[in-house]
Amino acid sequence: MESHYVQFFTATILKWKPIFFNQLYRTIILDSLNFLVEAKRMKVYGFVIMPNHIHIIWQVQEGHKLKNVQRDFMKYTSQQIQKDLRTNHPDLHHEFEVNLKDRKYQLWQRNPLSIDLYGRNVIEQKLEYIHNNPVQGKWMLSNEPASYPYSSACYYERDENRFPFLTHYMEYFGH
């Protein structure tokens, strides 16, 4: 039986296009995470949806293969977002044209980052990193991490769980 560590996962939109300013596309990501958790394929300990990329701290559940869960998440979210782009934003959809052997359009950059997190301190470090993402650098999407609505920061900082798919990372350690 394949066992899985908690992982830090990052996926970026092709050409770093900031499509996640669109509420529907953020909802597609959130709904997909919720589905994976309800189907007991994944536990999600933390996340942030930035304008052109996502970070997730998650753990594939027993009986599932990491590559399959990641592939299904990426494929489903890509198909749903592209369906809306084709219909409602054809000019933007055209910017995702790649004309490769296996696809005409591509939403996500290839080879998302997925690294195992060993130990509580590394998980806490990554949670802090993703929660601070919206308040740093060029984005400045919020004044404080817990005020950014597309992140798990409020869950950890204010004990507000707006996302039913979240599990506290300490449960991984049996607390």
Side-chain angles (χ1 to χ4, degrees), residues 18 27 95 100 112 123 132 160-161 174:
T27 299
E95 294 184 40
L100 299 172
I123 293 171
N132 282 314
E160 293 174 19
N161 192 358

Side-chain angles (χ1 to χ4, degrees), residues 3 17 27 30 35 39-40 43 55 61-62 67 76 80 92 95 98-99 111 118 142-144 146-147 158 160 166:
S3 66
K17 295 273 180 208
T27 299
L30 296 170
F35 171 81
K40 298 192 182 334
K43 279 192 178 178
H55 296 298
Q61 295 301 284
E62 201 171 294
K67 67 179 184 173
Y76 175 80
Q80 295 304 304
L92 182 55
E95 294 184 40
V98 291
N99 287 318
N111 303 316
Y118 303 101
S142 178
N143 291 328
E144 60 176 5
S147 296
R158 298 182 183 159
E160 293 174 19
L166 280 174

Side-chain angles (χ1 to χ4, degrees), residues 112-160:
L113 174 69
S114 193
I115 56 171
D116 289 340
L117 302 180
Y118 303 101
R120 179 178 167 180
N121 61 335
V122 180
I123 293 171
E124 289 171 349
Q125 181 184 42
K126 290 299 183 192
L127 276 170
E128 184 176 338
Y129 170 77
I130 69 173
H131 292 157
N132 282 314
N133 231 218
V135 300
Q136 294 178 335
K138 66 178 183 177
W139 299 114
M140 294 306 295
L141 300 169
S142 178
N143 291 328
E144 60 176 5
S147 296
Y148 184 65
Y150 307 103
S151 146
S152 53
C154 65
Y155 176 61
Y156 289 103
E157 290 183 27
R158 298 182 183 159
D159 204 24
E160 293 174 19

